[in-house]
Amino acid sequence: APGHLRLEGDLSERRYVEHLRFRNLSFVHTRFELPPGNSNDQQGSASVPAAITLRGARSCSFENCRLSKLGTFAFDIMAGCSENEFVGNEITQIAAGGIRINGGTERNPVWERTRNNRITDNWLHDYGQDFPSAVGVLLMNTEGNTVAHNEISHGGYTGVSIGWVWGYQRSVSQNNRIEFNHIHHIGGVLSDMGGIYTLGVSPGTVIRNNHIHDVDANHYGGWGIYFDEGSTHLLVENNVVH
């Protein structure tokens, strides 16, 4: 893994990293090369690591920080993370995506679930520069998160992706709220993508009041809001796409 900042609790003992605040800091210059056997063939560049990782972290925050010139994702919020906040940060000139949230599925112990994190008022631009399939904000197996009032632009692939179960199998990706985001000037490198992209059965998930424009695709599927396989039980209202 690249040189990075790790906030790591001990989930097996239910000992968490809690109440840490990072404000007005700059994080720059990480390097990463794909190891042998990793061809970056997972959707959303999901196998690429991050400069800052959280595991077993609760009620921590990154506020008004600047993350730039990173060879990876910026943030990876992993198993057992809840109530963390990412507010007012600028994330730019990064090889992969901005923020990835992923935790335990229904098959994992309940303490590995990741939920109720807030990503608000961030400016994410010029992402996916080396790994063009990377997503700006990638919500995989996680619930109850808020992604609001962010500006996401100038990436090769999807702006916000929600869900990680293809088809109609059980999924913990529900009750996520994606609202008041401005997503623009993305795509053109790859196909089958959108400003906001969804997968799977997602009860309680709301996508509303987003402004999305200038979404392109290489050949097909450059949508403003893209409901892919199994997308079910979503409320989508008051969005403007042009």
Side-chain angles (χ1 to χ4, degrees), residues 95-209:
I99 300 175
R100 176 174 56 215
I101 306 182
N102 189 30
T105 71
E106 78 282 349
R107 297 182 299 275
N108 299 107
V110 67
W111 54 83
E112 293 189 6
R113 297 282 180 90
T114 292
R115 53 168 64 98
N116 302 339
N117 300 285
R118 294 180 55 83
I119 300 170
T120 61
D121 300 285
N122 300 285
W123 183 23
L124 168 59
H125 59 102
D126 299 288
Y127 64 93
Q129 294 193 325
D130 291 324
F131 305 106
S133 65
V135 172
V137 177
L138 175 57
L139 275 57
M140 296 168 66
N141 299 295
T142 182
E143 63 183 319
N145 303 285
T146 298
V147 179
H149 297 281
N150 303 286
E151 181 176 355
I152 300 172
S153 71
H154 298 94
Y157 194 54
T158 291
V160 177
S161 181
I162 317 150
W164 206 247
V165 173
W166 286 255
Y168 299 96
Q169 293 78 30
R170 291 176 62 87
S171 172
V172 300
S173 181
Q174 49 193 287
N175 296 311
N176 291 301
R177 187 173 298 258
I178 315 298
E179 59 187 7
F180 297 102
N181 299 287
H182 184 197
I183 302 170
H184 62 96
H185 293 94
I186 62 171
V189 179
L190 301 173
S191 297
D192 204 31
M193 45 82 64
I196 298 173
Y197 173 97
T198 69
L199 282 173
V201 181
S202 309
T205 290
V206 177
I207 299 172
R208 66 184 180 194
N209 298 316

Side-chain angles (χ1 to χ4, degrees), residues 5-6 18 22 31 35 37 53 66 89 100 106 108 111 117 120 128 134 139 174 179 184 204 212 214 220 233 242:
L5 173 65
R6 293 168 53 189
E18 296 182 294
F22 297 85
R31 182 181 177 190
T53 60
R66 190 174 196 270
N89 304 290
R100 176 174 56 215
E106 78 282 349
N108 299 107
W111 54 83
N117 300 285
T120 61
L139 275 57
Q174 49 193 287
E179 59 187 7
H184 62 96
I212 304 170
D214 293 283
Y220 71 96
H233 299 306
H242 61 93

Side-chain angles (χ1 to χ4, degrees), residues 2-6 27-30 45 48-54 62 65-78 86 89-101 122-128 131 134-138:
H4 62 206
L5 173 65
R6 293 168 53 189
F27 299 90
V28 294
H29 300 304
T30 61
S45 291
V48 176
I52 298 174
T53 60
L54 285 69
F62 288 80
C65 294
R66 190 174 196 270
L67 298 91
S68 63
K69 299 180 176 64
L70 303 178
T72 56
F73 272 79
F75 291 101
D76 199 359
I77 298 100
M78 304 168 79
F86 304 83
N89 304 290
E90 181 183 5
I91 303 171
T92 183
Q93 295 180 329
I94 49 176
I99 300 175
R100 176 174 56 215
I101 306 182
N122 300 285
W123 183 23
L124 168 59
H125 59 102
D126 299 288
Y127 64 93
F131 305 106
V135 172
V137 177
L138 175 57

Side-chain angles (χ1 to χ4, degrees), residues 41-64:
D41 59 350
Q42 290 191 30
Q43 182 160 328
S45 291
S47 64
V48 176
I52 298 174
T53 60
L54 285 69
R55 179 181 174 88
R58 303 193 300 198
S59 300
C60 295
S61 71
F62 288 80
E63 304 167 23
N64 300 322

